[in-house]
Amino acid sequence: MEPRWLIVALIALATAALAVFLARKAGERRGPVEVNWVIEREGDLEGWRMLNGLAPAKLTEDGLTTEVTGFDPYMLAPPLRVDADRQKVVVVGMRVRGSATALRIYWVREDSPNWGEEKALSWPIAADGEFREYVVVVNHPEWRGTVTAVRFDLEPPDCYGTYWAIKYVRIPARAEVRLEGVSLTKAVVAEGDQLELRVRLRNLGAEAARVELGVEASENLAVEARGAAEIGPASEGVATLRVTALRSGVARLKVRARGAKRSLEFPVYRREVLEFSPKIGAEGVHRLERGYAVVSGQAALIVPESGGLYGPLIVALRGPSGWEPVGSLHVELRALGDGVEAFVAAPQRAWLAEGALKLAWEGSDSGGGAWRVEFSAKPLDGGLIALEAELGGKGELLHFSIVVRAGEPGFSASKSEALFPGLEWLEGDERSSSSLVVPKPHDLRVAPNPIKVTVPLMAVRRDEALVALMWDPLQPWGGGSPPAPAFASPNFVEGQENHLLKLFVPPASTVEENREEGAPLKLANGAVKLSALLYAARAGSVLEAARKWVEVFGLPEPALPRSMEEELRLCAKAYLETMWVPGKGWPHAVPGWEPEPYPGYAHVLLLISYVERDAALRAATIARARETLALAEAKWGTGALISGAGCHILTPQLPFLVARLEQGLALWREHATQLIAAQGPDGEWGFQPSAAPCGMEVARKLGEPGAREVGITATYAAEVLRYARVTGDAAALRAGLRALKAMERYRVPRGAQTWEVPIRAPDLLAAAKALEAYLEAYIATGEEGYLERAKYWALAGLPFVYLWGLPDRPMMVGATIPVYASSCLQGPGWFGTPVQWNGLVYAYHLLRLSAHDGSFPWRELATLILASAMRQQVTRGARGKPVGSYPDSWNLVADRDQPPYINPEGLAKVALVLAGVNPDLNTVRVGGIVASTPAHVLSAELSGGELRLRLKWPYEGPVHVLINTPALDVWKGRERLPRVEDLDAAAEGWKVSPLLNATIVKVAPSEAGELRLALGG
């Protein structure tokens, strides 16, 4: 054992011993004990131990104060006895300034006194120097029994110089109830409506609580005066009270619960205005007899006048019999007055100016705050309406938002699809924040960190009615961080029969999620401005909203950190030096993989040699490729050169460039035959649980054995169709097309990474594989329908790609989220954590698609993805990080790469395509004859039993051409090529493979050489 590890082990043993000693010293008292450490005096520091990497603790106005001085900083808290089965919340008030990103809590139990990673939980923190309270819900299988000691660590372990001050730590034992919010069960309230007031409560304590509610209401409401709710330990609950809207006008409700207060001011509209459907046809802004309308394309924002108020703001779509409501638009704010006071702004004035509808509202809170809102709606083109809300005045602002509640009025809580890029993609009755793909308590993603949103929009579609809210995440609203979104489909947060699409400022914080209120923003006659785009249209897919976002905002300009030549040299360095294991090959990634002589990596080196201008480096890449191929043949046999083992992007080109093509094709045919044999009668392949890496018990929870999903079927269909396309095999083509027919029922990409991810999780790799499968079918058949489906699945990958980025995170633009789920049903999921190898597979097939379709900037999108991968790539040597490799993932919140570090095969193949080198085969089909070759096929003609191919090969050395029928004779130009048995031993020649019933030609094409084949019958 190395001395460093010995020291670590001794520290761990000493820590455990100290914890046990202190626990025993505390006495034999049993049962749950309220932990309430408030650090205000010198004596309050007693019991705290700075065990590692921390300066001695001192008392300041911030409480216990220390600084990180060494690696892996942690402190031991005073002794305690916690009934962990009941006390499940740890509340920490602290201030951190520096490079720490998470607080990690360790614990030991009476029956498990040793410290270990199995008894630990991390919680994200903001190291911005602001005092913050973190409510840590310890929903962990090892937090049970009697906890006798806790330890606090800062992460990452190398956060040197970080200031750390803890003011208090509480682990409540008694009931501790917080009043979290109040809402109505209807977003649009009209006189005569009967609805409910929902009061959201949260109990942090270990005892159940009965909460008595008191309610005051304005005269135009009838409401139950009192109510009560039972809230269990460490849980949330909702109390409801019946409300009747008696008369139109501004209404107010005030709720009291255990000393806390919240109030809500909202409009009650005249009932007849809900039937307001003006006859307007032209686009623009219209003054109507009883209100206003803003019209753009098929969409309208209709604003009736209602007894001195303007509203509700109805989102509508043009229908065959007039305007059909599909939602409502709201501007809301919350201020700190006598408790939290919420206002749904009911405009008191309206006018037309500057081509827009202007609306104004004024109000005040009980704390002396005075507020005024000016809101504008301006029609743009094609269903877009620009929204801008400006809040002025003075007071303590908690929340200011533009809200779309899709479906109310209209299609209610039903939907066909919903999209929140980076976090949710739902179908039918699926519910957002589902624990089916992310375990509790990580499942709740209503108001996530804005950095987790890939494309800044939220959208809901019911049949052909699409409603979306879009925004610029870098807009200058008056604060330094992006505005925050909130999304719930259906709207379970407010208990309403609609879908919540909200954009708000100020964000609660950069790390605390699912909160819409943070520290108040103090305004003194200042202003906060928030802008967004409302989009409504008739569409058959929710992806139309993503396409529209790109049309409006455009793709970011790809900023490549180095030239393609420099990039390919960096990739070659990984294969020549940093990842090479002499005599064995390369590991796929480090740590955790054994080295193998992967032919696919040798293929990359060979392709790099084609464009490498340095003679010595070119010779080195060729030599290493040949060395690897010899190792591969020795280990796996002569057919192995066609193998895609270890590769993320499968291309069968290598034996067409070097040798052993017939043997490789035989092996490939065997594999394709096996896949076809496993295909179900419905044309699909089914899910089969596997023990690695989650264990069989968890694997069975990822999906039912035999379950179908597009990602599973597309993965195998792409392999079968690739074989069919290259070889012209009719049986394989039929099998592949049968699979594509079965795939027509899918709309959401799911199920391509089922070795660790739930089968129903939205999945970027599934989109890439479906794109690949349909593209292979299009190239093989020329049928336009397959190209259209390929384009759909290409667009389906867009919600996984970051189309914006923070200035201090240059790798964010083009980064790709792999799945909207967690691995092995553990942890918080992959939200905000790009896995770029997924994106590179997608980017590669986007580049292939761009050669056949120009309807979308596919090539530019692929370049963005490559640019992010290049910025993630290791360029300087570091322990465990080979130069030229790139990380498996990147934590955007912490802005840190995460192991393992992957070989650059996928990255290099995308870079090669952009450098003009195609890693794939070119296939042409003419009159039922299929020819495949690495060479460029300039033309192909079949006439009178003769096939003529004009080929161009700009690099040194011969290539092979596969023709799916026997030839009688072959000419290169005027020169007859010899018929040979061993193509590998010949400089040029051809043969008919009896095994494949096909012709293989080995030829060194001239600049634009012609190959002629005389074909039999």
Side-chain angles (χ1 to χ4, degrees):
M1 181 180 288
E2 295 182 10
R4 180 169 61 88
W5 297 110
L6 179 61
I7 292 170
V8 171
L10 290 173
I11 290 174
L13 288 172
T15 303
L18 178 62
V20 172
F21 170 76
L22 291 174
R24 288 176 177 171
K25 187 177 179 180
E28 296 299 321
R29 185 174 49 173
R30 303 290 176 183
V33 177
E34 182 92 2
V35 174
N36 189 16
W37 296 316
V38 181
I39 303 169
E40 296 176 333
R41 299 180 298 273
E42 286 290 341
D44 297 331
L45 297 177
E46 184 178 348
W48 291 90
R49 304 288 186 267
M50 308 298 105
L51 292 181
N52 194 67
L54 294 170
K58 59 183 179 181
L59 182 69
T60 70
E61 62 180 7
D62 287 337
L64 183 158
T65 304
T66 183
E67 183 177 334
V68 177
T69 58
F71 188 79
D72 191 18
Y74 55 86
M75 65 176 74
L76 182 69
L80 74 162
R81 292 188 65 82
V82 167
D83 183 351
D85 295 314
R86 297 167 62 195
Q87 293 171 269
K88 292 186 176 294
V89 176
V90 179
V91 183
V92 183
M94 65 183 190
R95 188 191 308 273
V96 181
R97 183 173 54 251
S99 59
T101 59
L103 175 71
R104 189 162 177 82
I105 303 175
Y106 290 80
W107 62 88
V108 294
R109 302 194 308 264
E110 201 167 49
D111 63 339
S112 181
N114 296 322
W115 301 96
E117 295 298 327
E118 75 282 358
K119 298 191 293 291
L121 179 79
S122 291
W123 202 262
I125 63 171
D128 55 5
E130 296 293 322
F131 177 82
R132 299 185 185 278
E133 180 182 87
Y134 299 95
V135 179
V136 182
V137 180
V138 193
N139 193 339
H140 192 287
E142 295 300 319
W143 181 267
R144 52 188 169 83
T146 301
V147 169
T148 56
V150 294
R151 194 184 95 189
F152 298 107
D153 293 32
L154 282 185
E155 292 184 324
D158 57 349
C159 56
Y160 303 107
T162 294
Y163 174 90
W164 188 10
I166 296 179
K167 187 67 174 179
Y168 58 82
V169 176
R170 295 188 297 105
I171 308 178
R174 296 180 295 274
E176 182 176 318
V177 177
R178 295 187 176 183
L179 177 54
E180 295 284 286
V182 295
S183 62
L184 299 171
T185 53
K186 290 179 68 68
V188 177
V189 181
E191 52 194 2
D193 279 346
Q194 294 184 339
L195 59 156
E196 290 183 341
L197 172 66
R198 299 176 80 251
V199 182
R200 300 194 302 277
L201 302 161
R202 185 180 187 186
N203 182 9
L204 304 183
E207 296 177 347
R210 177 176 173 80
V211 183
E212 300 288 341
L213 302 174
V215 183
E216 299 175 15
S218 56
E219 292 182 355
N220 58 343
L221 300 176
V223 62
E224 293 178 89
R226 305 195 66 81
E230 297 285 343
I231 311 297
S235 62
E236 299 179 2
V238 174
T240 59
L241 296 97
R242 289 188 297 274
V243 177
T244 301
L246 303 175
R247 295 183 304 279
S248 63
V250 175
R252 296 175 183 84
L253 288 166
K254 180 178 285 187
V255 178
R256 300 182 307 278
R258 294 203 172 191
K261 298 177 183 178
R262 280 186 179 263
S263 64
L264 174 62
E265 180 180 294
F266 61 96
V268 176
Y269 297 107
R270 291 178 175 175
R271 181 152 299 278
E272 64 265 21
V273 304
L274 299 186
E275 308 300 326
F276 184 56
S277 183
K279 293 182 179 181
I280 38 177
E283 296 194 15
V285 186
H286 302 271
R287 176 71 171 96
L288 308 173
E289 183 179 351
R290 293 185 294 118
Y292 294 85
V294 181
V295 182
S296 172
Q298 299 170 310
L301 183 64
I302 300 172
V303 185
E305 190 275 331
S306 177
L309 302 177
Y310 288 90
L313 281 64
I314 303 298
V315 182
L317 279 173
R318 198 186 306 270
S321 58
W323 292 100
E324 300 172 358
V326 292
S328 52
L329 178 65
H330 311 261
V331 176
E332 300 176 357
L333 68 96
R334 298 175 204 160
L336 197 58
D338 185 17
V340 177
E341 301 186 22
F343 302 85
V344 179
Q348 300 129 344
R349 293 189 297 122
W351 68 100
L352 301 181
E354 301 171 337
L357 170 63
K358 305 279 188 175
L359 300 164
W361 170 88
E362 292 185 358
S364 60
D365 61 56
S366 304
W371 307 100
R372 60 183 182 276
V373 172
E374 186 172 305
F375 179 71
S376 71
K378 184 174 184 177
L380 303 179
D381 294 330
L384 286 167
I385 299 175
L387 309 175
E388 188 172 285
E390 183 171 350
L391 172 68
K394 63 177 182 178
E396 296 189 75
L397 177 68
L398 291 169
H399 177 101
F400 181 53
S401 59
I402 295 174
V403 190
V404 173
R405 292 183 173 89
E408 185 183 348
F411 50 80
S412 190
S414 61
K415 68 175 180 295
S416 302
E417 283 183 284
L419 179 64
F420 186 17
L423 295 115
E424 304 274 12
W425 193 344
L426 309 167
E427 288 183 291
D429 59 0
E430 290 178 327
R431 177 185 180 275
S432 61
S433 292
S434 169
S435 59
L436 296 177
V437 293
V438 182
K440 293 181 179 296
H442 310 291
D443 55 328
L444 191 62
R445 43 196 184 275
V446 171
N449 187 327
I451 205 173
K452 296 184 178 181
V453 179
T454 54
V455 185
L457 68 88
M458 297 170 277
V460 174
R461 179 179 67 85
R462 165 65 191 273
D463 297 331
E464 292 189 346
L466 174 66
V467 182
L469 187 67
M470 309 175 184
W471 65 95
D472 175 3
L474 301 180
Q475 61 181 277
W477 58 268
S481 56
F487 176 84
S489 177
N491 187 355
F492 61 89
V493 174
E494 297 171 318
Q496 296 177 354
E497 291 293 307
N498 56 47
H499 308 270
L500 178 68
L501 318 178
K502 176 187 289 190
L503 186 66
F504 68 92
V505 293
S509 84
T510 57
V511 295
E512 296 169 281
E513 301 194 4
N514 301 306
R515 292 180 57 194
E516 296 183 11
E517 301 164 358
L521 178 65
K522 296 183 179 181
L523 290 182
N525 294 315
V528 171
K529 185 181 291 185
L530 188 59
S531 61
L533 291 174
L534 172 66
Y535 178 53
R538 298 289 179 186
S541 170
V542 76
L543 289 172
E544 171 60 21
R547 190 203 60 78
K548 195 69 173 181
W549 191 97
V550 173
E551 178 185 306
V552 173
F553 294 98
L555 292 178
E557 285 293 325
L560 297 173
R562 48 193 165 269
S563 69
M564 286 299 102
E565 182 179 34
E566 293 168 329
E567 174 55 35
L568 291 172
R569 284 181 177 175
L570 182 60
C571 293
K573 189 177 182 68
Y575 293 122
L576 294 174
E577 301 176 21
T578 62
M579 298 191 78
W580 175 252
V581 179
K584 293 185 177 180
W586 306 276
H588 171 71
V590 293
W593 276 261
E594 293 298 319
E596 298 286 358
Y598 294 116
Y601 304 171
H603 180 213
V604 169
L605 278 175
L606 188 61
L607 296 179
I608 291 174
S609 76
Y610 292 156
V611 292
E612 177 52 60
R613 294 184 294 178
D614 183 278
L617 187 54
R618 183 168 63 250
T621 59
I622 294 172
R624 178 57 47 79
R626 288 173 176 168
E627 180 183 1
T628 303
L629 297 182
L631 290 170
E633 284 199 39
K635 183 166 187 175
W636 293 313
T638 56
L641 302 196
I642 208 166
S643 167
C647 293
H648 290 136
I649 299 171
L650 305 180
T651 57
Q653 189 193 67
L654 179 61
F656 283 80
L657 295 174
V658 289
R660 309 290 192 264
L661 178 56
E662 189 173 11
Q663 298 93 322
L665 289 171
L667 190 67
W668 194 12
R669 185 179 71 168
E670 181 182 347
H671 177 61
T673 301
Q674 291 171 350
L675 289 180
I676 295 168
Q679 188 178 21
D682 59 352
E684 298 204 58
W685 287 266
F687 169 66
Q688 298 300 327
S690 61
C694 303
M696 190 54 73
E697 182 179 352
V698 172
R700 292 191 183 99
K701 298 177 183 178
L702 302 180
E704 290 292 326
R708 267 55 171 159
E709 254 310 336
V710 65
I712 298 172
T713 294
T715 297
Y716 295 123
E719 292 194 42
V720 171
L721 285 164
R722 189 186 315 114
Y723 174 77
R725 185 259 299 181
V726 170
T727 65
D729 186 291
L733 183 61
R734 286 193 300 271
L737 297 183
R738 192 156 50 92
L740 298 192
K741 182 67 176 176
M743 286 165 52
E744 290 178 1
R745 66 191 180 101
Y746 298 110
R747 303 196 65 85
V748 178
R750 311 179 198 256
Q753 303 183 70
T754 55
W755 57 86
E756 61 180 294
V757 174
I759 188 172
R760 292 290 293 169
D763 184 339
L764 172 58
L765 196 60
K769 289 299 181 180
L771 160 61
E772 179 186 8
Y774 278 104
L775 191 56
E776 291 289 0
Y778 172 67
I779 298 170
T781 67
E783 293 184 19
E784 290 292 327
Y786 295 129
L787 180 61
E788 289 302 310
R789 293 302 295 165
K791 288 159 58 177
Y792 174 84
W793 288 109
L795 197 61
L798 193 64
F800 298 85
V801 184
Y802 277 94
L803 300 187
W804 70 286
L806 294 172
D808 62 347
R809 286 164 172 77
M811 52 66 59
M812 185 173 167
V813 175
T816 55
I817 298 301
V819 292
Y820 299 171
S822 61
S823 288
C824 303
L825 293 174
Q826 297 175 5
W830 291 99
F831 311 109
T833 307
V835 173
Q836 207 63 11
W837 76 258
N838 274 214
L840 289 167
V841 176
Y842 173 57
Y844 178 80
H845 295 295
L846 289 178
L847 290 172
R848 296 180 65 209
L849 176 63
S850 70
H852 304 279
D853 177 70
S855 65
F856 190 85
W858 307 119
R859 187 178 180 89
E860 291 79 2
L861 180 58
T863 306
L864 278 181
I865 295 169
L866 174 65
S868 176
M870 291 169 66
R871 292 187 180 277
Q872 296 180 47
Q873 198 172 10
V874 179
T875 57
R876 297 181 180 179
R879 184 174 181 181
K881 299 182 181 183
V883 171
S885 68
Y886 66 103
D888 177 75
S889 61
W890 194 289
N891 186 319
L892 276 178
V893 175
D895 196 24
R896 295 179 69 90
D897 60 358
Q898 299 181 150
Y901 295 87
I902 303 171
N903 84 92
E905 167 259 337
L907 200 158
K909 284 177 179 171
V910 175
L912 281 162
V913 175
L914 290 172
V917 180
N918 184 9
D920 198 4
L921 295 166
N922 296 301
T923 300
V924 293
R925 188 183 189 96
V926 53
I929 304 301
V930 175
S932 297
T933 177
H936 307 306
V937 183
L938 303 180
S939 65
E941 298 177 6
L942 181 64
S943 178
E946 183 176 82
L947 177 66
R948 292 173 178 262
L949 300 172
R950 289 185 62 239
L951 305 178
K952 182 178 179 180
W953 182 241
Y955 310 116
E956 295 179 4
V959 295
H960 293 75
V961 185
L962 174 68
I963 303 96
N964 70 327
T965 190
L968 300 177
D969 220 337
V970 180
W971 291 266
K972 174 188 173 185
R974 295 180 179 275
E975 174 191 357
R976 174 181 280 176
L977 293 179
R979 183 169 184 168
V980 298
E981 283 303 312
D982 186 1
L983 284 173
D984 295 338
E988 290 186 313
W990 65 280
K991 71 175 295 185
V992 174
S993 168
L995 183 66
L996 304 169
N997 196 34
T999 303
I1000 303 173
V1001 183
K1002 183 178 182 181
V1003 63
S1006 57
E1007 186 62 19
E1010 184 178 68
L1011 196 65
R1012 293 185 296 123
L1013 293 88
L1015 306 178

